[in-house]
Amino acid sequence: MICVIAVHQMLAPVHAIFHWLLVAGLGFAIWDRSRAWLVVRRLLGSVEARKPRAGDAFWVAAVAADVRPSLMRVVDGLPNPAFTAGWLRPHIYVAARLPDALTAEELSAVLAHEHAHVRRRDPARLSILRFVGCALFWLPALRRLAADAADDAEIAADDTAVRGQPLVLASAILKLAGWRVSGQDPDLGGRVLSRGSGVMIGFQRDALLDRRIHRLVGEAAPVVTHVTRRSLAAAFAGLLLVWSSGLAVAHPLPARTEHGAAHGGHCTQHHGWALEHLFCFAGHARTPGALCPHEMLPGALR
């Protein structure tokens, strides 16, 4: 039989550690999301954005893609060709020289892709997933799952933007993958604008880029997950420890021993470590003639 008091003494400190980890994780998550907001604000505050003008290339492409031009912002010298940003009211940001790099059909496909992110509220949705992953940082599988969700968001946006012309979108993606802006501050480039910043950009990882292109050209595309066996094992072990320590702390301790004295909640046998007398077997060594302090009254929980 397992001594409940010994289990409680062993796991109560573990459960308290998880409380502190939760508090630390919430602080880390708030810092991470605040930093992401400041990064986007810094970028967008350092450039001048304007709405498309009636009749220009962006206006025509937006109309063709069923995108409201009021959702778009055209920016000179943008470090990334096109992305969606904004947690509450997402907008599509495009580089002013984008029409010089793409055909009218490709530009329309890019806008349709970004509009899919706007309609799905992907920046806010993925930012929430990132917040949860940071808050529970001791479960690394959660942040890896958030990264998988960001990849799936790009795939879903591609499927929406195809509109029967997958090769057009594939061509646009390949052209934009090599986008460079001369003289641009590197801190405002793709290194800063990551999926963790609440900005949707699908040109950052070669594995994701290959997957998108292969799917669009009709080839089999292997799905590469960020989740590893090690992260899953760590998550399982962590959750098991949280569950078992919480159960041990919530379990009511026996109130009295057979002698009728209040127990006080401390495992007192031999005055040793709780692990030494976790199991109360009949042959357990004890003082001759003395009862094991863990032998409860009939009906007591053990």
Side-chain angles (χ1 to χ4, degrees), residues 194-215:
S194 64
R195 61 169 56 91
S197 300
V199 174
M200 295 305 304
I201 303 174
F203 316 114
Q204 296 167 330
R205 289 196 312 113
D206 291 339
L208 175 59
L209 189 62
D210 289 343
R211 177 185 173 190
R212 295 176 65 187
I213 296 301
H214 279 86
R215 289 184 77 258

Side-chain angles (χ1 to χ4, degrees), residues 233-279:
F236 177 79
L239 290 175
L240 181 61
L241 200 55
V242 169
W243 176 81
S244 58
S245 62
L247 188 62
V249 170
H251 195 290
L253 288 174
R256 295 180 178 277
T257 65
E258 280 194 351
H259 298 90
H263 198 288
H266 182 62
C267 196
T268 57
Q269 182 166 325
H270 302 302
H271 302 284
W273 295 97
L275 183 61
E276 295 179 20
H277 32 82
L278 177 62
F279 299 97

Side-chain angles (χ1 to χ4, degrees), residues 33-123:
R33 294 298 81 205
S34 299
R35 176 180 175 274
W37 178 77
L38 290 174
V39 165
V40 177
R41 184 179 180 183
R42 177 190 173 194
L43 170 68
L44 301 182
S46 65
V47 297
E48 294 185 3
R50 60 176 175 83
K51 295 181 180 180
R53 300 185 180 93
D56 68 7
F58 289 110
W59 183 282
V60 174
V63 172
D66 295 327
V67 178
R68 287 189 291 118
S70 60
L71 291 176
M72 297 175 54
R73 298 293 183 268
V74 181
V75 182
D76 290 317
L78 199 64
N80 291 281
F83 59 83
T84 300
W87 294 338
L88 297 180
R89 292 181 296 176
H91 287 83
I92 300 170
Y93 292 85
V94 292
R97 66 183 184 90
L98 197 56
D100 299 332
L102 303 176
T103 66
E105 292 78 10
E106 290 171 346
L107 180 58
S108 180
V110 169
L111 295 182
H113 173 96
E114 298 301 332
H115 190 231
H117 288 312
V118 172
R119 285 185 296 157
R120 288 163 48 92
R121 303 277 180 175
D122 281 336

Side-chain angles (χ1 to χ4, degrees), residues 106 109 165-175 212-213 216-217:
E106 290 171 346
Q165 295 181 307
L167 296 182
V168 173
L169 180 58
S171 175
I173 292 174
L174 287 176
K175 290 180 180 179
R212 295 176 65 187
I213 296 301
L216 290 171
V217 300

